[in-house]
Amino acid sequence: QVQLQESGPGLVKPSQTLSLTCTVSGGSISSGGYYWSWIRQHPGKGLEWIGYIYYSGSTYYNPSLKSRVTISVDTSKNQFSLKLSSVTAADTAVYYCARVYPNPYYYGSGYFDYWGQGTLVTVSS
Amino acid sequence: DIQMTQSPSTLSASVGDRVTITCRASQSISSWLAWYQQKPGKAPKLLIYKASSLESGVPSRFSGSGSGTEFTLTISSLQPDDFATYYCQQYNSYSFTFGPGTKVDIK
């Protein structure tokens, strides 16, 4: 059973960089076959996809966040990470990491079959 | 970009009711649609993928149908554990788009 666990600071100051790590257990990122993704949910709102990474390091980001997002992977630790720069209060949200089961016909998309529990990040001075 | 809508936004129902939620895509997505259930304070849980395929371990009272631009999630007999918010998500294009959600609450 694949499990994902987010970790990182729960409070970030405006203009700083939000950094989160997702640790995967029960499956190896380096075995390939899946994308590894970040999704966020503003308080009381819907779900927003942030981006994903493949074990090889290839990434794809939501165009609306692309200029501020970096996702990286450390296969030796079976972890992947999110950095979101220049944060504002609008970035306050619960951040989830998730595994993407790829669409077999359309490279670059898929559905989320395993999720972390989520971590609330508040942007405030 | 493909946009997703859901109706209704809120649905009040009783235990035992048959419940149907509709999800519409702004353009055809074939059958590349997933449904998730989310309870307060919890991560979303995958229920259905490829429009009608039931995820392992999900009760058979959940079913999905549709293709193209219109899809439905049906709960055949609503159980107390089913009061939650439901989201659809398209995965046809080189992106991931969720619907705004449908909250199912107790009548």
Side-chain angles (χ1 to χ4, degrees):
Chain A
Q1 178 81 348
V2 175
Q3 294 183 312
L4 298 92
Q5 177 68 58
E6 306 89 350
S7 59
L11 181 64
V12 181
K13 288 181 167 46
S15 79
Q16 292 191 343
T17 296
L18 177 161
S19 296
L20 295 173
T21 295
C22 182
T23 301
V24 179
S25 58
S28 173
I29 291 176
S30 60
S31 64
Y34 303 96
Y35 307 123
W36 302 91
S37 188
W38 289 96
I39 299 147
R40 69 180 182 179
Q41 186 169 36
H42 294 103
K45 302 296 184 183
L47 299 158
E48 179 181 30
W49 170 70
I50 298 171
Y52 71 70
I53 192 163
Y54 194 52
Y55 81 98
S56 61
S58 61
T59 55
Y60 185 60
Y61 303 137
N62 186 325
S64 68
L65 297 168
K66 183 179 180 179
S67 64
R68 299 194 292 130
V69 173
T70 302
I71 298 176
S72 59
V73 65
D74 186 338
T75 54
S76 68
K77 294 182 179 178
N78 219 30
Q79 295 176 334
F80 62 104
S81 299
L82 169 71
K83 290 189 185 300
L84 182 66
S85 63
S86 305
V87 297
T88 69
D91 294 308
T92 293
V94 174
Y95 286 76
Y96 295 99
C97 58
R99 189 180 83 167
V100 180
Y101 190 100
N103 184 326
Y105 293 101
Y106 290 98
Y107 174 82
S109 191
Y111 59 86
F112 305 96
D113 59 352
Y114 289 97
W115 296 67
Q117 65 186 25
T119 187
L120 174 63
V121 178
T122 301
V123 179
S124 174
S125 55
Chain B
D1 286 4
I2 298 175
Q3 306 302 318
M4 308 299 292
T5 59
Q6 288 182 234
S7 60
S9 56
T10 305
L11 187 160
S12 296
S14 301
V15 172
D17 284 353
R18 181 180 181 89
V19 167
T20 298
I21 298 168
T22 298
C23 174
R24 291 185 175 88
S26 60
Q27 64 190 71
S28 178
I29 58 171
S30 185
S31 296
W32 306 117
L33 186 96
W35 288 97
Y36 303 87
Q37 176 194 67
Q38 187 179 34
K39 297 179 181 177
K42 301 293 186 182
K45 172 188 173 184
L46 176 67
L47 300 175
I48 302 280
Y49 61 94
K50 206 177 177 187
S52 61
S53 295
L54 194 68
E55 173 71 347
S56 176
V58 173
S60 59
R61 62 181 180 272
F62 291 92
S63 64
S65 65
S67 65
T69 61
E70 187 158 330
F71 302 85
T72 58
L73 173 70
T74 300
I75 309 172
S76 61
S77 177
L78 197 66
Q79 298 302 299
D81 192 47
D82 301 337
F83 292 98
T85 299
Y86 294 84
Y87 294 93
C88 61
Q89 177 237 328
Q90 69 83 16
Y91 56 103
N92 179 77
S93 65
Y94 208 135
S95 67
F96 305 78
T97 316
F98 292 93
T102 294
K103 183 178 181 180
V104 177
D105 62 19
I106 301 172
K107 183 185 284 186

